[in-house]
Short mmCIF file of all heavy atoms in Angstrom, two decimals:
data_model
loop_
_atom_site.label_atom_id
_atom_site.label_comp_id
_atom_site.label_asym_id
_atom_site.label_seq_id
_atom_site.Cartn_x
_atom_site.Cartn_y
_atom_site.Cartn_z
N MET A 1 25.65 190.84 -165.96
CA MET A 1 24.96 192.09 -166.25
C MET A 1 25.44 193.20 -165.31
O MET A 1 25.66 194.34 -165.73
CB MET A 1 23.44 191.90 -166.09
CG MET A 1 22.66 193.13 -166.49
SD MET A 1 20.86 193.01 -166.23
CE MET A 1 20.48 191.35 -166.64
N THR A 2 25.62 192.86 -164.03
CA THR A 2 26.13 193.84 -163.07
C THR A 2 27.49 194.34 -163.50
O THR A 2 27.74 195.55 -163.54
CB THR A 2 26.23 193.20 -161.66
OG1 THR A 2 24.92 192.79 -161.25
CG2 THR A 2 26.80 194.17 -160.66
N ALA A 3 28.38 193.42 -163.85
CA ALA A 3 29.73 193.81 -164.24
C ALA A 3 29.75 194.66 -165.51
O ALA A 3 30.40 195.71 -165.56
CB ALA A 3 30.59 192.56 -164.43
N VAL A 4 29.03 194.22 -166.52
CA VAL A 4 29.02 194.94 -167.80
C VAL A 4 28.43 196.34 -167.63
O VAL A 4 29.01 197.33 -168.10
CB VAL A 4 28.24 194.14 -168.87
CG1 VAL A 4 27.96 194.98 -170.10
CG2 VAL A 4 29.03 192.88 -169.25
N LEU A 5 27.31 196.44 -166.93
CA LEU A 5 26.69 197.75 -166.73
C LEU A 5 27.59 198.68 -165.90
O LEU A 5 27.69 199.88 -166.20
CB LEU A 5 25.32 197.62 -166.08
CG LEU A 5 24.22 197.03 -166.96
CD1 LEU A 5 22.98 196.72 -166.14
CD2 LEU A 5 23.90 197.97 -168.11
N CYS A 6 28.23 198.13 -164.89
CA CYS A 6 29.13 198.96 -164.08
C CYS A 6 30.34 199.43 -164.90
O CYS A 6 30.74 200.60 -164.79
CB CYS A 6 29.58 198.21 -162.83
SG CYS A 6 28.28 198.10 -161.57
N TRP A 7 30.91 198.56 -165.72
CA TRP A 7 32.05 198.98 -166.55
C TRP A 7 31.62 200.01 -167.60
O TRP A 7 32.35 200.97 -167.87
CB TRP A 7 32.72 197.78 -167.22
CG TRP A 7 33.66 197.08 -166.27
CD1 TRP A 7 33.50 195.84 -165.73
CD2 TRP A 7 34.86 197.61 -165.72
NE1 TRP A 7 34.54 195.55 -164.90
CE2 TRP A 7 35.40 196.62 -164.87
CE3 TRP A 7 35.55 198.81 -165.87
CZ2 TRP A 7 36.59 196.80 -164.16
CZ3 TRP A 7 36.74 198.99 -165.16
CH2 TRP A 7 37.24 198.00 -164.32
N ILE A 8 30.46 199.83 -168.19
CA ILE A 8 29.95 200.83 -169.13
C ILE A 8 29.72 202.15 -168.40
O ILE A 8 30.04 203.23 -168.91
CB ILE A 8 28.65 200.34 -169.82
CG1 ILE A 8 28.96 199.18 -170.76
CG2 ILE A 8 27.97 201.47 -170.58
CD1 ILE A 8 27.73 198.47 -171.31
N GLY A 9 29.18 202.07 -167.19
CA GLY A 9 28.98 203.26 -166.38
C GLY A 9 30.28 203.97 -166.04
O GLY A 9 30.37 205.20 -166.09
N VAL A 10 31.31 203.20 -165.70
CA VAL A 10 32.62 203.78 -165.42
C VAL A 10 33.15 204.50 -166.65
O VAL A 10 33.63 205.63 -166.57
CB VAL A 10 33.62 202.70 -164.95
CG1 VAL A 10 35.06 203.21 -165.00
CG2 VAL A 10 33.28 202.23 -163.56
N ALA A 11 33.05 203.85 -167.81
CA ALA A 11 33.54 204.47 -169.05
C ALA A 11 32.78 205.76 -169.34
O ALA A 11 33.38 206.77 -169.74
CB ALA A 11 33.40 203.49 -170.21
N ALA A 12 31.46 205.75 -169.13
CA ALA A 12 30.65 206.96 -169.38
C ALA A 12 31.06 208.08 -168.44
O ALA A 12 31.15 209.25 -168.85
CB ALA A 12 29.17 206.63 -169.22
N LEU A 13 31.33 207.75 -167.19
CA LEU A 13 31.72 208.78 -166.23
C LEU A 13 33.13 209.31 -166.51
O LEU A 13 33.37 210.51 -166.39
CB LEU A 13 31.62 208.23 -164.80
CG LEU A 13 30.20 207.98 -164.31
CD1 LEU A 13 30.20 207.23 -162.99
CD2 LEU A 13 29.45 209.29 -164.19
N VAL A 14 34.03 208.43 -166.89
CA VAL A 14 35.39 208.88 -167.21
C VAL A 14 35.38 209.81 -168.43
O VAL A 14 36.08 210.82 -168.45
CB VAL A 14 36.33 207.67 -167.43
CG1 VAL A 14 37.65 208.08 -168.05
CG2 VAL A 14 36.56 206.94 -166.11
N ARG A 15 34.56 209.47 -169.43
CA ARG A 15 34.46 210.33 -170.62
C ARG A 15 33.93 211.72 -170.27
O ARG A 15 34.25 212.69 -170.95
CB ARG A 15 33.56 209.69 -171.68
CG ARG A 15 34.25 208.62 -172.49
CD ARG A 15 33.45 208.25 -173.73
NE ARG A 15 32.05 207.96 -173.50
CZ ARG A 15 31.56 206.75 -173.20
NH1 ARG A 15 32.36 205.73 -173.08
NH2 ARG A 15 30.27 206.59 -173.01
N ARG A 16 33.13 211.82 -169.24
CA ARG A 16 32.52 213.11 -168.87
C ARG A 16 33.11 213.69 -167.59
O ARG A 16 32.51 214.52 -166.93
CB ARG A 16 31.02 212.93 -168.72
CG ARG A 16 30.35 212.66 -170.07
CD ARG A 16 28.98 212.08 -169.90
NE ARG A 16 28.37 211.74 -171.17
CZ ARG A 16 28.53 210.57 -171.79
NH1 ARG A 16 29.30 209.64 -171.28
NH2 ARG A 16 27.92 210.33 -172.94
N LEU A 17 34.30 213.26 -167.25
CA LEU A 17 34.94 213.67 -166.01
C LEU A 17 35.13 215.19 -165.92
O LEU A 17 35.00 215.78 -164.86
CB LEU A 17 36.29 212.96 -165.87
CG LEU A 17 36.93 212.96 -164.50
CD1 LEU A 17 35.99 212.37 -163.46
CD2 LEU A 17 38.22 212.16 -164.53
N HIS A 18 35.41 215.82 -167.04
CA HIS A 18 35.65 217.26 -167.04
C HIS A 18 34.46 218.05 -167.60
O HIS A 18 34.59 219.24 -167.87
CB HIS A 18 36.92 217.58 -167.81
CG HIS A 18 38.14 216.96 -167.19
ND1 HIS A 18 38.65 217.38 -165.98
CD2 HIS A 18 38.91 215.92 -167.58
CE1 HIS A 18 39.69 216.64 -165.67
NE2 HIS A 18 39.88 215.74 -166.62
N ALA A 19 33.32 217.40 -167.71
CA ALA A 19 32.11 218.07 -168.21
C ALA A 19 31.44 218.83 -167.07
O ALA A 19 31.83 218.70 -165.90
CB ALA A 19 31.14 217.05 -168.80
N ASP A 20 30.42 219.58 -167.40
CA ASP A 20 29.68 220.29 -166.36
C ASP A 20 28.91 219.26 -165.50
O ASP A 20 28.73 218.11 -165.89
CB ASP A 20 28.72 221.32 -166.97
CG ASP A 20 27.71 220.68 -167.89
OD1 ASP A 20 28.07 220.38 -169.05
OD2 ASP A 20 26.57 220.47 -167.44
N ALA A 21 28.47 219.71 -164.33
CA ALA A 21 27.85 218.81 -163.35
C ALA A 21 26.60 218.13 -163.87
O ALA A 21 26.39 216.94 -163.63
CB ALA A 21 27.54 219.58 -162.06
N SER A 22 25.76 218.86 -164.61
CA SER A 22 24.52 218.23 -165.09
C SER A 22 24.82 217.13 -166.11
O SER A 22 24.16 216.08 -166.11
CB SER A 22 23.57 219.28 -165.67
OG SER A 22 24.14 219.89 -166.81
N THR A 23 25.79 217.34 -166.98
CA THR A 23 26.19 216.31 -167.94
C THR A 23 26.77 215.10 -167.22
O THR A 23 26.46 213.95 -167.54
CB THR A 23 27.22 216.87 -168.95
OG1 THR A 23 26.65 218.01 -169.59
CG2 THR A 23 27.62 215.83 -169.98
N PHE A 24 27.62 215.35 -166.23
CA PHE A 24 28.21 214.26 -165.45
C PHE A 24 27.13 213.48 -164.70
O PHE A 24 27.15 212.25 -164.68
CB PHE A 24 29.24 214.83 -164.47
CG PHE A 24 30.03 213.78 -163.75
CD1 PHE A 24 31.04 213.09 -164.39
CD2 PHE A 24 29.75 213.48 -162.43
CE1 PHE A 24 31.77 212.11 -163.72
CE2 PHE A 24 30.47 212.50 -161.75
CZ PHE A 24 31.48 211.82 -162.41
N ASN A 25 26.16 214.19 -164.11
CA ASN A 25 25.08 213.52 -163.39
C ASN A 25 24.25 212.63 -164.31
O ASN A 25 23.85 211.54 -163.92
CB ASN A 25 24.18 214.54 -162.69
CG ASN A 25 24.82 215.13 -161.46
OD1 ASN A 25 25.57 214.45 -160.77
ND2 ASN A 25 24.52 216.38 -161.18
N ARG A 26 23.99 213.09 -165.53
CA ARG A 26 23.22 212.26 -166.48
C ARG A 26 23.99 211.01 -166.88
O ARG A 26 23.39 209.98 -167.18
CB ARG A 26 22.86 213.08 -167.72
CG ARG A 26 21.71 214.05 -167.49
CD ARG A 26 21.18 214.63 -168.79
NE ARG A 26 22.20 215.30 -169.59
CZ ARG A 26 22.58 216.57 -169.46
NH1 ARG A 26 22.01 217.33 -168.54
NH2 ARG A 26 23.51 217.10 -170.24
N ALA A 27 25.31 211.08 -166.86
CA ALA A 27 26.12 209.92 -167.24
C ALA A 27 26.14 208.84 -166.16
O ALA A 27 26.61 207.73 -166.41
CB ALA A 27 27.56 210.38 -167.53
N LYS A 28 25.62 209.12 -165.00
CA LYS A 28 25.62 208.16 -163.90
C LYS A 28 24.58 207.06 -164.05
O LYS A 28 24.64 206.05 -163.36
CB LYS A 28 25.37 208.88 -162.58
CG LYS A 28 26.47 209.81 -162.15
CD LYS A 28 26.08 210.48 -160.84
CE LYS A 28 27.19 211.35 -160.33
NZ LYS A 28 26.85 211.92 -159.00
N SER A 29 23.62 207.23 -164.94
CA SER A 29 22.46 206.33 -164.98
C SER A 29 22.82 204.87 -165.22
O SER A 29 22.27 203.98 -164.58
CB SER A 29 21.44 206.81 -166.00
OG SER A 29 22.02 206.85 -167.28
N VAL A 30 23.75 204.60 -166.12
CA VAL A 30 24.10 203.20 -166.40
C VAL A 30 24.79 202.57 -165.19
O VAL A 30 24.50 201.43 -164.83
CB VAL A 30 24.99 203.09 -167.66
CG1 VAL A 30 25.42 201.66 -167.90
CG2 VAL A 30 24.25 203.62 -168.87
N ALA A 31 25.68 203.32 -164.55
CA ALA A 31 26.35 202.80 -163.36
C ALA A 31 25.33 202.54 -162.24
O ALA A 31 25.41 201.52 -161.55
CB ALA A 31 27.41 203.78 -162.88
N ILE A 32 24.36 203.42 -162.10
CA ILE A 32 23.33 203.24 -161.07
C ILE A 32 22.49 202.00 -161.36
O ILE A 32 22.18 201.22 -160.45
CB ILE A 32 22.46 204.51 -160.95
CG1 ILE A 32 23.29 205.63 -160.32
CG2 ILE A 32 21.18 204.25 -160.18
CD1 ILE A 32 22.63 206.99 -160.32
N VAL A 33 22.16 201.77 -162.62
CA VAL A 33 21.40 200.57 -162.98
C VAL A 33 22.24 199.32 -162.68
O VAL A 33 21.74 198.35 -162.10
CB VAL A 33 20.97 200.60 -164.46
CG1 VAL A 33 20.39 199.26 -164.90
CG2 VAL A 33 19.95 201.71 -164.69
N GLY A 34 23.51 199.33 -163.04
CA GLY A 34 24.38 198.18 -162.78
C GLY A 34 24.50 197.88 -161.30
O GLY A 34 24.41 196.72 -160.87
N LEU A 35 24.69 198.92 -160.49
CA LEU A 35 24.80 198.72 -159.05
C LEU A 35 23.47 198.24 -158.45
O LEU A 35 23.45 197.42 -157.54
CB LEU A 35 25.26 200.01 -158.38
CG LEU A 35 26.70 200.40 -158.70
CD1 LEU A 35 26.95 201.86 -158.37
CD2 LEU A 35 27.68 199.49 -157.98
N THR A 36 22.37 198.72 -158.99
CA THR A 36 21.05 198.28 -158.52
C THR A 36 20.83 196.80 -158.84
O THR A 36 20.30 196.06 -158.01
CB THR A 36 19.94 199.16 -159.14
OG1 THR A 36 20.18 200.52 -158.78
CG2 THR A 36 18.57 198.74 -158.65
N VAL A 37 21.24 196.38 -160.02
CA VAL A 37 21.15 194.95 -160.37
C VAL A 37 21.98 194.13 -159.38
O VAL A 37 21.54 193.08 -158.91
CB VAL A 37 21.59 194.70 -161.83
CG1 VAL A 37 21.72 193.21 -162.12
CG2 VAL A 37 20.62 195.35 -162.80
N GLY A 38 23.17 194.63 -159.04
CA GLY A 38 24.00 193.94 -158.06
C GLY A 38 23.34 193.85 -156.70
O GLY A 38 23.36 192.80 -156.05
N VAL A 39 22.73 194.94 -156.24
CA VAL A 39 22.02 194.93 -154.96
C VAL A 39 20.90 193.91 -154.99
O VAL A 39 20.73 193.12 -154.06
CB VAL A 39 21.48 196.34 -154.62
CG1 VAL A 39 20.49 196.29 -153.47
CG2 VAL A 39 22.63 197.29 -154.28
N LEU A 40 20.13 193.91 -156.07
CA LEU A 40 19.02 192.95 -156.18
C LEU A 40 19.53 191.52 -156.20
O LEU A 40 18.97 190.63 -155.55
CB LEU A 40 18.18 193.24 -157.42
CG LEU A 40 17.38 194.53 -157.37
CD1 LEU A 40 16.73 194.80 -158.73
CD2 LEU A 40 16.33 194.47 -156.28
N LEU A 41 20.60 191.28 -156.95
CA LEU A 41 21.14 189.92 -157.04
C LEU A 41 21.62 189.42 -155.69
O LEU A 41 21.23 188.35 -155.24
CB LEU A 41 22.29 189.88 -158.06
CG LEU A 41 23.05 188.56 -158.13
CD1 LEU A 41 22.15 187.45 -158.68
CD2 LEU A 41 24.29 188.70 -158.98
N TRP A 42 22.46 190.21 -155.02
CA TRP A 42 23.06 189.71 -153.77
C TRP A 42 22.12 189.82 -152.59
O TRP A 42 22.22 189.02 -151.66
CB TRP A 42 24.39 190.40 -153.51
CG TRP A 42 25.44 189.78 -154.38
CD1 TRP A 42 25.93 188.51 -154.28
CD2 TRP A 42 26.09 190.36 -155.50
NE1 TRP A 42 26.84 188.27 -155.28
CE2 TRP A 42 26.97 189.41 -156.04
CE3 TRP A 42 26.03 191.61 -156.11
CZ2 TRP A 42 27.76 189.66 -157.14
CZ3 TRP A 42 26.83 191.85 -157.21
CH2 TRP A 42 27.69 190.87 -157.71
N HIS A 43 21.19 190.76 -152.61
CA HIS A 43 20.25 190.82 -151.49
C HIS A 43 19.10 189.83 -151.71
O HIS A 43 18.88 188.94 -150.90
CB HIS A 43 19.70 192.23 -151.28
CG HIS A 43 18.73 192.31 -150.16
ND1 HIS A 43 19.10 192.11 -148.86
CD2 HIS A 43 17.39 192.51 -150.14
CE1 HIS A 43 18.03 192.20 -148.08
NE2 HIS A 43 16.98 192.44 -148.85
#
């Protein structure tokens, strides 16, 4: 789940790399969820 969510998050961020800041910030949510799952798993 950590890996899949992080890769989906990377793809979302790459697609919005040249978008405005608010659009780019909204695209971070999946990556943040994936990283949070990783923190919970390993901690």
Side-chain angles (χ1 to χ4, degrees):
M1 185 184 323
T2 299
V4 168
L5 289 171
C6 285
W7 279 112
I8 291 170
V10 166
L13 291 171
V14 168
R15 280 194 310 271
R16 291 162 184 88
L17 196 56
H18 298 291
D20 60 280
S22 63
T23 303
F24 187 76
N25 285 327
R26 283 192 304 273
K28 293 179 176 184
S29 60
V30 176
I32 289 172
V33 170
L35 292 163
T36 302
V37 171
V39 167
L40 292 172
L41 173 67
W42 282 293
H43 179 67

